Amino acid sequence: MRFELTILGCNSAIPAYDRNPTAQVLNIQENLFLIDCGEGTQIQMSKFHIKRGKINQIFISHLHGDHVLGLVGLLNSYALGGRTTPIDLFGPKDLEEFVTTSMRLMQNHSTFPLHFHEVDTEHNQLVFENNLITVHSIPLKHRIPTTGYLFKEKAYPLNIRPEKITEHQIHYSHIKAIKAGADYNDNGRIIPNAELTLPAMPTRSYAYCSDTMYKEDIIPIIKGVDLLYHETTFLHEELELAIRTQHSTARQAAQIAQQAKVGKLITGHYSSRYEDLEVVRVEASQVFSNTVIGKEGEVYSVAFKQKN
Ligand SMILES: [Zn+2]
Ligand SMILES: [Zn+2]
């Protein structure tokens, strides 16, 4: 069962060295979630074989152009293609005005319902859930209201031990309840659930944190996630610039990853001053060894971990 992140854009501000502005697609068991939508996102989707028609939810971090300038184009293409499936659009205040004003001025007649969900960028809140996952906001600190997103799978059902079905001749109509944790009544004898089942598969999680300056209070929110994307706009030698523009350095992102004890750190949102990203990897991995350089077209999968 898939849990994989594809990076479509990982540069900051303006495109450079064939790197695009920010966009990512998270595939959780064939549910596709688009996270940010910088200019060029549609072309990147085609290049990396993302089925854009399968995206029903779009999560926007903030209204800087490098995260949002591809959005109206994408929605326009959906309308041109005659899409009828609704889109849920999540993001900070003013996202709705940005989109609806653009659509109105273009006299774009949408063929599908567009549902806006304003995200409170000051608090950690549940913003979306379906039968598989929850998505919570992660309050970030940037020059304008900005939010990250935490994607978490919901608990899997317990695994029933096949031999116990035979032993107690359990009818299939009871299986669902047992998988949800119920005991079983075998002709008056109560068989505890723990005897009937094996632990469920562990859930997987992904935290997206871009753009933000170093912000320690996100650590409890992202604690123990399997995958963390944290922006690394600058190297630490540019700390002053990072503070002034409210971005993070590679070292700071790694410090967040280390304190939050995440599984893997993916870097990104690179300043155009860095053509070769090896310097970013070296700086971050000195603090947090399981760091990988975020690259466009790369797919980062999360496998099921064995429970200790
Ligand atoms: Zn940005
Ligand atoms: Zn920004």
Side-chain angles (χ1 to χ4, degrees):
M1 286 187 285
R2 276 184 220 259
F3 191 108
E4 26 175 80
L5 178 73
T6 304
I7 294 187
L8 302 177
C10 64
N11 213 53
S12 70
I14 51 171
Y17 318 117
D18 286 334
R19 301 195 303 246
N20 288 264
T22 301
Q24 311 186 340
V25 172
L26 183 64
N27 180 337
I28 304 178
Q29 301 180 42
E30 303 314 316
N31 287 248
L32 266 53
F33 304 99
L34 177 63
I35 307 165
D36 278 340
C37 191
E39 185 188 348
T41 296
Q42 293 192 77
I43 290 171
Q44 293 292 86
M45 282 181 181
S46 303
K47 190 170 168 189
F48 301 123
H49 313 294
I50 301 291
K51 292 179 179 138
R52 74 186 72 183
K54 287 178 74 180
I55 294 167
N56 297 329
Q57 284 82 29
I58 301 174
F59 297 85
I60 299 294
S61 64
H62 64 304
L63 289 178
H64 277 158
D66 56 324
H67 298 255
V68 84
L69 283 177
L71 180 60
V72 173
L74 176 64
L75 297 174
N76 188 55
S77 294
Y78 281 144
L80 290 173
R83 179 185 174 116
T84 53
T85 314
I87 290 265
D88 286 300
L89 194 48
F90 301 82
K93 187 178 170 296
D94 296 339
L95 179 63
E96 179 169 1
E97 186 185 341
F98 170 74
V99 171
T100 52
T101 302
S102 305
M103 298 288 218
R104 180 172 53 79
L105 294 175
M106 293 191 310
Q107 299 193 15
N108 178 303
H109 301 293
S110 190
T111 54
F112 57 94
L114 191 52
H115 302 303
F116 291 92
H117 305 270
E118 185 179 318
V119 176
D120 176 351
T121 57
E122 299 289 323
H123 298 96
N124 168 225
Q125 288 178 332
L126 178 71
V127 296
F128 172 75
E129 70 178 318
N130 63 14
N131 58 331
L132 295 176
I133 65 155
T134 58
V135 183
H136 286 81
S137 57
I138 306 170
L140 300 176
K141 178 128 181 64
H142 192 43
R143 303 194 301 278
I144 59 172
T146 303
T147 183
Y149 294 101
L150 171 65
F151 296 79
K152 262 186 173 174
E153 283 182 315
K154 286 186 174 174
Y156 282 95
L158 297 161
N159 289 309
I160 197 153
R161 300 165 69 147
E163 73 276 15
K164 295 289 174 186
I165 299 178
T166 319
E167 185 184 330
H168 300 288
Q169 300 196 337
I170 301 172
H171 189 258
Y172 71 89
S173 60
H174 295 285
I175 301 286
K176 196 174 174 194
I178 293 169
K179 284 184 159 196
D183 297 336
Y184 180 64
N185 186 336
D186 185 357
N187 293 315
R189 188 160 70 96
I190 301 299
I191 315 296
N193 185 273
E195 271 183 35
L196 302 169
T197 58
L198 296 166
M201 283 189 294
T203 58
R204 298 167 292 181
S205 53
Y206 169 58
Y208 172 80
C209 298
S210 184
D211 299 351
T212 187
M213 62 190 303
Y214 182 76
K215 189 166 184 281
E216 278 186 346
D217 61 8
I218 67 170
I219 292 167
I221 301 172
I222 64 171
K223 196 103 195 167
V225 294
D226 296 291
L227 216 52
L228 166 66
Y229 177 91
H230 192 294
E231 70 133 288
T232 54
T233 305
F234 300 108
L235 293 179
H236 210 67
E237 63 191 18
E238 300 287 1
L239 179 60
E240 253 178 57
L241 183 57
I243 291 169
R244 189 154 26 98
T245 56
Q246 302 197 15
H247 283 296
S248 298
T249 69
R251 186 189 300 174
Q252 289 177 324
Q255 284 167 346
I256 295 286
Q258 187 214 21
Q259 292 172 80
K261 297 185 167 53
V262 307
K264 184 182 282 182
L265 168 66
I266 304 170
T267 63
H269 198 267
Y270 310 112
S271 162
S272 300
R273 70 191 56 214
Y274 309 116
E275 181 171 4
D276 182 356
L277 300 172
E278 179 60 11
V279 285
V280 177
R281 192 195 63 76
V282 168
E283 181 173 295
S285 58
Q286 280 167 356
V287 176
F288 186 76
S289 59
N290 202 6
T291 296
V292 294
I293 288 291
K295 281 190 194 146
E296 295 171 12
E298 205 90 343
V299 178
Y300 304 88
S301 299
V302 181
F304 286 111
K305 276 183 303 207
Q306 290 301 317
K307 275 193 172 170
N308 297 322

